[in-house]
Structures are given as C-alpha cells and as structure tokens.
Amino acid sequence: MGGFIMPHQRGYSALRRGRYSAPGFIYYLTICTADRVKALTFEDVGAAVGEEILRMASEGVWHVQAFTLMPDHVHVIAELGNSLSLSQVVARLKAKTRTALLTRAAKWQVNYFDHRLPARESVLPVLLYIYLNPYRNRLIEPSESWPWFYCHENEWRWFKSHLTDNLPEPVWLL
C-alpha cells in the first residue's frame, strides 16, 4: 500500500503555504489589481501608491530598496521592519490606497506574491527584473526613463553602475 500523496494545491492557499514573515529579511513582492485592471500608472493612483510605500518606509514599517509601478501591478523590494508582519504591511498598503484605485474603477487582488531572499542571495537579479519590466513590456522606449520606478539612494549608488547613462543596456531588452 502506497503512501498518501498530497494533491497539488492551487490558488490563494498555495500562495500562503510556506509563507514566513521575519523582520530584517528582504522580500520581493508583487501585488496586482483585481482582474488586472490597468489603473496604477494614472498620475493620481500612482502618486497615492508610491506615497504610501514611501510613507511606510519613513515610519520604519519597512526599508524600501526599490519599486516599480506597472499599469496593473506593483513590484517592491523591501526589508521588513519590526512593527508589522508582511501580510499586515500588504494589507495596510492596500487599505490606504483603496480609495485612489476606486477612482479608476479598480481594486487590489485579494492575494499577492512574495519571495524572501536568502541572506546570501544577491538582490541584483530581482532589481534588474523590476527595473526592466516596463521596457520588456514595451511601455517605453529604451532611450526613456520609466517615471514609476523608485530606487533608494543607497541601492541606486551601486545599481546605477550596471546602467549606461541611467538607462538599460540595449542587449538586455532583446
């Protein structure tokens, strides 16, 4: 008689399985709008989301290394502070920006994606991914800067050395 095999879980419960929130660790988050409604890069909504991300950083909720707003999702790289769990941080961001999204007939998806970077894992591949996201989705030309990208000055000091005139290398976009 064989052992019991757990069926493959899908959906929200699969996202939550293994989720662990720990202060001092760096997390890569992706938070999407419900039904992938394109609302986040409207000036009013983008400003509200970006301001709340940075407000939480100024309050010590997290140290935001970088984030990129895309039309229907946001990518954040942040070190979690001591005051809130990761799910509480995401819940706060969603609650504080809910009204702004509603002005564009949008709301946040219930779930979100997170990945805790191991202590020895470089943040560079993740930072490059979120930096290049608007270019790879052809939202802007390679000669332009994405207005919805933020990088904290400490991370920008070393990250900009990977760029040419603060723009992506053309071969990265092939």
Side-chain angles (χ1 to χ4, degrees):
M1 193 167 200
F4 176 76
I5 297 174
M6 186 73 134
H8 179 71
Q9 290 184 309
R10 293 178 181 245
Y12 187 61
S13 61
L15 282 174
R16 294 179 49 110
R17 188 180 57 237
R19 185 169 279 168
Y20 176 70
S21 176
F25 281 93
I26 297 172
Y27 289 87
Y28 164 55
L29 303 169
T30 302
I31 309 167
C32 300
T33 58
D35 301 319
R36 302 301 290 252
V37 171
K38 293 175 176 22
L40 300 180
T41 52
F42 284 105
E43 186 66 36
D44 55 338
V45 178
V49 174
E51 287 168 10
E52 184 57 29
I53 289 171
L54 295 177
R55 183 178 301 112
M56 293 190 317
S58 71
E59 294 173 6
V61 171
W62 57 6
H63 166 72
V64 176
Q65 295 184 354
F67 69 85
T68 296
L69 292 176
M70 298 293 286
D72 61 358
H73 64 282
V74 58
H75 295 294
V76 182
I77 303 170
E79 180 181 331
L80 188 61
N82 293 316
S83 61
L84 300 174
S85 70
L86 187 61
S87 62
Q88 290 172 320
V89 169
V90 173
R92 174 181 164 173
L93 176 62
K94 289 179 176 182
K96 295 284 188 171
T97 58
R98 179 180 182 272
T99 302
L101 267 75
L102 287 174
T103 65
R104 299 294 179 167
K107 60 184 180 175
W108 291 110
Q109 228 176 37
V110 173
N111 56 9
Y112 61 95
F113 168 83
D114 70 89
H115 171 71
R116 182 172 56 93
L117 277 69
R120 294 180 308 278
E121 186 174 325
S122 172
V123 74
L124 179 60
V126 180
L127 188 50
L128 278 170
Y129 176 80
I130 72 166
Y131 174 79
L132 293 172
N133 206 271
Y135 295 98
R136 290 186 171 152
N137 283 281
R138 303 198 189 291
L139 298 175
I140 56 170
E141 295 297 319
S143 60
E144 299 174 323
S145 294
W146 183 242
W148 300 108
F149 173 76
Y150 166 85
C151 190
H152 188 275
E153 63 188 55
N154 293 339
E155 284 72 27
W156 184 248
R157 271 192 220 100
W158 63 263
F159 179 65
K160 71 180 178 182
S161 68
H162 297 279
L163 308 174
T164 301
D165 297 323
N166 297 336
L167 295 170
E169 294 290 334
V171 295
W172 295 348
L173 306 175
L174 300 177

